[in-house]
Amino acid sequence: MVRMPAPVSSLLWRSLRVYQVYGANTDVGKTIIATILCKAARGLWPSQRTTYLKPVSTGPDEVADDRHVRRFAPEIAAKTLFQYDLAVSPHIAARSSNKSIPPDDALLAEISSYAAQQAHHGPGWLFVETAGGVHSPSPSGSTQADLYMPLRLPVILIGDSKLGGISQTISAFESLKIRGYDVETVLLFREATYNNHSYLAHYFAQRHEIPVRTVPEPPPKPLEDDDAVSDAARLSRYYDDCSQSREVQDTLSHLSARHDARVSRLGSMSAAASEKIWYPFTQQKDLTPEKIVVIDSARGDFFHTLQSKATTTSTSTTTPTNLDDPDALLQPFFDGSASWWTQGLGHGNPHLTLAAAYAAGRYGHVMFAEAIHEPALALAETLLAGLDNPRLSRVFFSDNGSTGVEVAVKMALRAARLRYGWESGTGPGRDGDGDGDEEVLGVLGLQGSYHGDTIGAMDCSEPSVYNEKVEWYEGKGFWFEYPTVECSQGAWRIKMPDGMREFGGDGTSTPGAAYPHLSAIFDVERREAAGEGRLYGRFIRTTLERLAAQGRKFGALIIEPVVLGAGGMLLVDPLFQRTLVSTVRQSAHLFGRTTPSTTINPVPVAEHNQTWTGLPVIFDEVFTGLYRFGRFSAASFLGVHPDISVHAKLLTGGLVPLSVTAASDSIFRAFASDDKSDALLHGHSYTAHPVGCQVALASLREMQRMEARGDWDWARAAHERTDSHRDPSATNHATECLAWSVWSPEFLSWVGALPTRFVGGVWALGSVLAIRLTSVDGSTGYKGSAARAVHAALLRGRVHSYGPSDQSQSRWNVHSRVLGNTLYLMTGQRTTEETVKGVESLLREVLEKACNGP
Amino acid sequence: MVRMPAPVSSLLWRSLRVYQVYGANTDVGKTIIATILCKAARGLWPSQRTTYLKPVSTGPDEVADDRHVRRFAPEIAAKTLFQYDLAVSPHIAARSSNKSIPPDDALLAEISSYAAQQAHHGPGWLFVETAGGVHSPSPSGSTQADLYMPLRLPVILIGDSKLGGISQTISAFESLKIRGYDVETVLLFREATYNNHSYLAHYFAQRHEIPVRTVPEPPPKPLEDDDAVSDAARLSRYYDDCSQSREVQDTLSHLSARHDARVSRLGSMSAAASEKIWYPFTQQKDLTPEKIVVIDSARGDFFHTLQSKATTTSTSTTTPTNLDDPDALLQPFFDGSASWWTQGLGHGNPHLTLAAAYAAGRYGHVMFAEAIHEPALALAETLLAGLDNPRLSRVFFSDNGSTGVEVAVKMALRAARLRYGWESGTGPGRDGDGDGDEEVLGVLGLQGSYHGDTIGAMDCSEPSVYNEKVEWYEGKGFWFEYPTVECSQGAWRIKMPDGMREFGGDGTSTPGAAYPHLSAIFDVERREAAGEGRLYGRFIRTTLERLAAQGRKFGALIIEPVVLGAGGMLLVDPLFQRTLVSTVRQSAHLFGRTTPSTTINPVPVAEHNQTWTGLPVIFDEVFTGLYRFGRFSAASFLGVHPDISVHAKLLTGGLVPLSVTAASDSIFRAFASDDKSDALLHGHSYTAHPVGCQVALASLREMQRMEARGDWDWARAAHERTDSHRDPSATNHATECLAWSVWSPEFLSWVGALPTRFVGGVWALGSVLAIRLTSVDGSTGYKGSAARAVHAALLRGRVHSYGPSDQSQSRWNVHSRVLGNTLYLMTGQRTTEETVKGVESLLREVLEKACNGP
């Protein structure tokens, strides 16, 4: 069994009130005020345990903060986790010491564990004091505000009462706020010259509804050493007075009330949600409140969710799930659907937050018609360069994948209509002869495709459970069957639909029954050269000829390259899609007769090779593109260039909605006219909103940097090692068609070898893993139920003890989504090897159990 | 002529390089490093003027920073604008002085003016040094980082080299960054103990690609007073050495190169955009690069745009527009369309920025299916409470108004279909008898309605120039004519369509020909009681009967309450819409026969009055709601409660896309079933994205606070004063139906009295002003051109001189959008009376000129 890292969660207990003490600067009195708070808490709640924790301390032990607390508040338990002697920033002190430097994860785990121990004692307080200012570096070098984010402890911010302290306090607050911390109160010394507290009290009340309270300044240090005793006495009296002061007691009451309110709110949210929210894609009749996941916050790959009966009732282990934290309220959950396929750079990524906030500050939103702003232009340039498609020259912005597809279809249909001279407004029944179909301008696509939920995007898909009951849905087009790829019974196989087989058998090479590795299947050029695409070509051509003979009219080919996402997480043979595109492009004669109207916007000769032929080809890369599969563009797997390409989801790295439809000049020119109503009359108010564009820009650039740096080399290398099909003399080419994944080859082989009565097949590419479970009750598609049991077991997760100490316990739960009988898991683009291994390990255990039956 | 305030713009000149020096804290060496930079700039570019400006200084004159600069860099021009003697924060020093406290606007105007003077001298440098830390308060009390935002000067951040300085520097940077500042470099003292510069150099290079450079610490102050001379000599030598140091010279080269790159990029953006962007709703054949507005940034109600030939070639005034700033590159533009109707709380609002950043830090985005997070729940609660509609109990989230409408229509059609027992999948031609219309389930609406650009939303509108050429558009429904309201020839008039008049004449009261005030027309209950609605009722009933006789099927009534936005900015008689809703609700027998299937989800008796009757009523409040017209809900003007209500645009105060579709329980229950495919199968990946929800929450709450505080009382009061129709004994009721606007009654009367050969009519409500210009060439609708000349004149704006000094010059340009022959202007919800007066003044001038002809 692999030793899995223990994800930490936001810390929250019902009765232990944990607060983090941050300082607006160093030397603002954090320890003094923390001591006062400790004493006051103990005074107000004498029967409760009050604890002081200093995770990292620098400077000689004899002046350490925990010692100060113990000295003046002996009734308080005080502890330091990591102590370095040098009185400098921890990142320097740690390196200068002989002690080991704790990695961030380990430091957080220590704090969690310590807090959990305190929670055992029942109601109480725990004050966790940071070192220096909010962004002072931790031993590892990351700044504290970043380091402690996952714990998301509510904050007591100690303001700065000195000259300049107003600025320091507000900036420190903002650095915490933009990281999702809740600053619950500001405390600072009452000082008469600069009077910072009165400005800050007004400022925080007006702007943030946060109370600012004060304590008197501590008595001045004596000038002579021998006054040390009376100094201590003065300080003792000071502490006694302060801890009994009205302002301090009000502060603690406020903190206690806020804590209770938070716990209470979390507890009531699922019930309130079940009454006030209409959920997407959910039969709410069955959605009882306890099934609603309450997400307190999220960080990196993990949700921090409220413990619920549904998830704590574990059947996969007899160990109570929360043995060591009797009433820990929050738990980490691996976000196994990458939050509906959106997460690239992880939850709560400060880099994306700052990008969003920068654009919000610089522009807010600005109208985009006939205007330009830097984030939109830079994003257009970055995207067009990244797609590396000589056809695409221009981008249209909209709000999500569905609207992006509608834009793409409007573009394509217009271009096709003008090229082939069809009249405008062709719609069902409009030709008046009543046979109802010959004037319907449709699309060509693949069966089971999904392009979005708005009516125009729905109409691009064949009738299915997603749309068959939607009143205005009317599928317009024809959808091909296609071969799919998965690993089963120890090999990678192409599964051909029955109707396609008859097109083989003329002696040419046909797709093989089994391939040693997925990369062999993705080596489309070699396979094409070997004649494996001819069967596909014949199948496609024959079908198109039949459709032409029926008088069907088409205005676009639209496909999701490589993988059909919502349609069931199906990996399509890339050679089939490649052949489909090239066949459509060579079949202009089957779609219509080019009319003189196309000469209105003549194509310059030099650009001719970029002009669309046959039909405009739309690639819906909303799910498949932008590094989902490890590459900027999914089209690159097929080695073909679409005329129109739609991007969303990962575009913004997982923060806000934004979509881009990129198009070729040849498509664009179809809308040029002296009549302004010939323009593409589509646009949303927030078109190209700067926040989205700036975030997308930051996200794409970061993913490009990751690729250039080789951040995914660990995953590539694992697949390269096992990819023995490669011709050693053709390394470059083999690297190009390498179909790698963060999911390990060993794991894939293991799943692929599970009994077919349980697992039908598996595939993984880039960040995605899909396991097709075998239906036991015959249910299929959206209504399939085979994956639900595995899904539920992942949700319950498990707790493992690896040793006697608390830290060696690790809890793993995975929040996944299923599509029919297919269970899929999806990482972000920054998910680490260690985390993937953790998920694989849990998955192995769950699948093994499920395979072996109860 | 009203004295208009002078909006300031972001400051940028081609050859004058202006930089703002911010400090990470007080006492970090801002003035010392600024002096070094001044000296170095002068040394490197000896023929260029280098200037030092301290806008606000505190402390005795003899130690003032400008004096220090003059002493050690006598070759530099140095100036302080506002000097206060007390050595405390400016907000205290200013109040303790006998001097006047400059308002923020005046302070910015002084800086702009001073900078403009420097620009007269040709190439050079201007360093503007702030006081204290980034958030240190200015004389008015606002913090500097907020105050100086509109100037958006690129920043030299002076880092803190002391203990704790790493944190201070990063936090200061973040406070600037989230306000849209570009920090171009970080400079700080080289200090060996804490070595902050080496941490910061790594941090800023890695995270922000910003160079961090150092200068040596200044020589220590002498202990004895009589060393003052040699101290000065030491300091002089220090300045000489530093200003010639490689690091400082590199810094200046970097800053100079960044400046040139910025200017160059701005100059090339419109050309690049014309090649890379496909614009929404734009015939790009006519869009030459010089017509594309380059928006550098935006603040409050103003864009800061690149001066272009198109806007500087003024024909409305003979004064050159840029007399006082020979090559000022940026100019302020009033955002007269509220950025396509999105802006509520203004561009670059720090409150919304922090809300967005907080949610980004706390969650990023988290999957919403079967999950809940605080911003989504709190927004749902706030919105439902604010709408104050007893029918609405639940919200569905989507991404924009168009998707929100599609969701609404899916909801309504399903509810109607189940109620009336129609089969699913009713679509054109599907009944097979080929007459092509009887099974089309349509909507009832108003002619000219516009609900969005996705196909499903388009299908809710009658054929028009927006959709007639869109291949998949197919209007599904029937759209009523309606009476409109405007002020013309000195009175408020209801314009009845011709076909409606025949329904009067039975002796009952009919809508009057003229009303003294708009509020009289909005007093719908009194008018209804007086029988004015009967004509409407007969017209509507007769029409519905005719449609029923034709076998037409309808599943919803969908209207934009009060005003049709994109359809032409038409104010509809609210009594007509009220009557339409009540008539539809009473006409169940004309829509279908209730079938037993409705008893599957029986309606509890207590809720019966909230159950929809006739047809589900959808209010598309995307444009009209959320304080656009001064009220939370536009439905409240009609005094009726829709069953479904759609909200977007102002929902997020103008930052990011988000939409909410609120629905009644009666609608919701239509989707409850044991079959999960009966659920509302709609959802976008970013559904209920926390950033949008948090921003919406902040925005709605702020607008509610503004209403409660009476922030718009100045506008209400102006209309109440002139609203003489009110019955003094019924003040409360009159206040309720008061139709106020930020546009002054005097201005409206003036426009309404212009010759009808020029102005057909005008109306204003809340933030919106619409002027219908009379077409001279007969062009109408989307293709109308009458408003274009006025639009162009507003764009050119004007410059006025009010006195001999520079400050009394004010430049006004207004960026507006037109809809056919209607010119509309729209403020945000925080636009001040002064700004509205400024726009009115320009508008008066432009209309007067246009009226009197060239």
Side-chain angles (χ1 to χ4, degrees), chain B residues 182-205:
Chain B
D182 289 319
V183 175
E184 297 292 359
T185 193
V186 177
L187 281 171
L188 77 165
F189 291 137
R190 196 152 53 236
E191 188 278 337
T193 311
Y194 306 118
N195 218 13
N196 291 355
H197 57 274
S198 84
Y199 183 93
L200 290 172
H202 180 77
Y203 183 93
F204 280 102

Side-chain angles (χ1 to χ4, degrees), chain A residues 146-209:
Chain A
D146 282 338
L147 161 65
Y148 293 127
M149 266 179 86
L151 305 181
R152 217 180 77 82
L153 290 169
V155 171
I156 300 163
L157 176 62
I158 309 303
D160 185 344
S161 58
K162 300 190 293 295
L163 181 64
I166 290 174
S167 182
Q168 307 314 304
T169 307
I170 296 172
S171 281
F173 166 80
E174 290 181 343
S175 289
L176 294 171
K177 181 86 179 172
I178 66 177
R179 283 168 178 76
Y181 288 93
D182 289 320
V183 175
E184 296 292 1
T185 191
V186 177
L187 281 170
L188 76 166
F189 292 137
R190 196 152 51 240
E191 188 279 340
T193 309
Y194 306 118
N195 217 14
N196 291 354
H197 56 274
S198 82
Y199 183 93
L200 291 171
H202 179 78
Y203 183 93
F204 280 101
Q206 289 293 308
R207 296 220 181 186
H208 304 293
E209 296 174 30

Side-chain angles (χ1 to χ4, degrees), chain A residues 135 141 167-168 174-175 182 199 347 358 365 399 406 410 417 453 455 469 471 649 674 683 685-686, chain B residues 135 141 167-168 174-175 182 199 285 347 358 365 400 406 410 417 453 455 471 649 678 683 685-686:
Chain A
H135 270 310
S167 182
Q168 307 314 304
E174 290 181 343
S175 289
D182 289 320
Y199 183 93
H347 296 283
Y358 168 73
H365 169 61
D399 292 342
E406 295 224 0
K410 285 182 180 178
R417 179 166 68 73
D453 303 326
I455 297 293
K469 292 182 180 171
E471 283 68 19
K649 296 197 200 294
D674 291 326
S685 295
Y686 286 93
Chain B
H135 271 311
S167 183
Q168 307 314 304
E174 289 180 344
S175 288
D182 289 319
Y199 183 93
K285 195 180 177 208
H347 296 283
Y358 169 74
H365 170 61
N400 56 44
E406 294 222 0
K410 285 182 179 178
R417 179 165 69 73
D453 303 326
I455 297 292
E471 282 67 21
K649 298 197 199 290
D678 282 330
S685 295
Y686 286 94

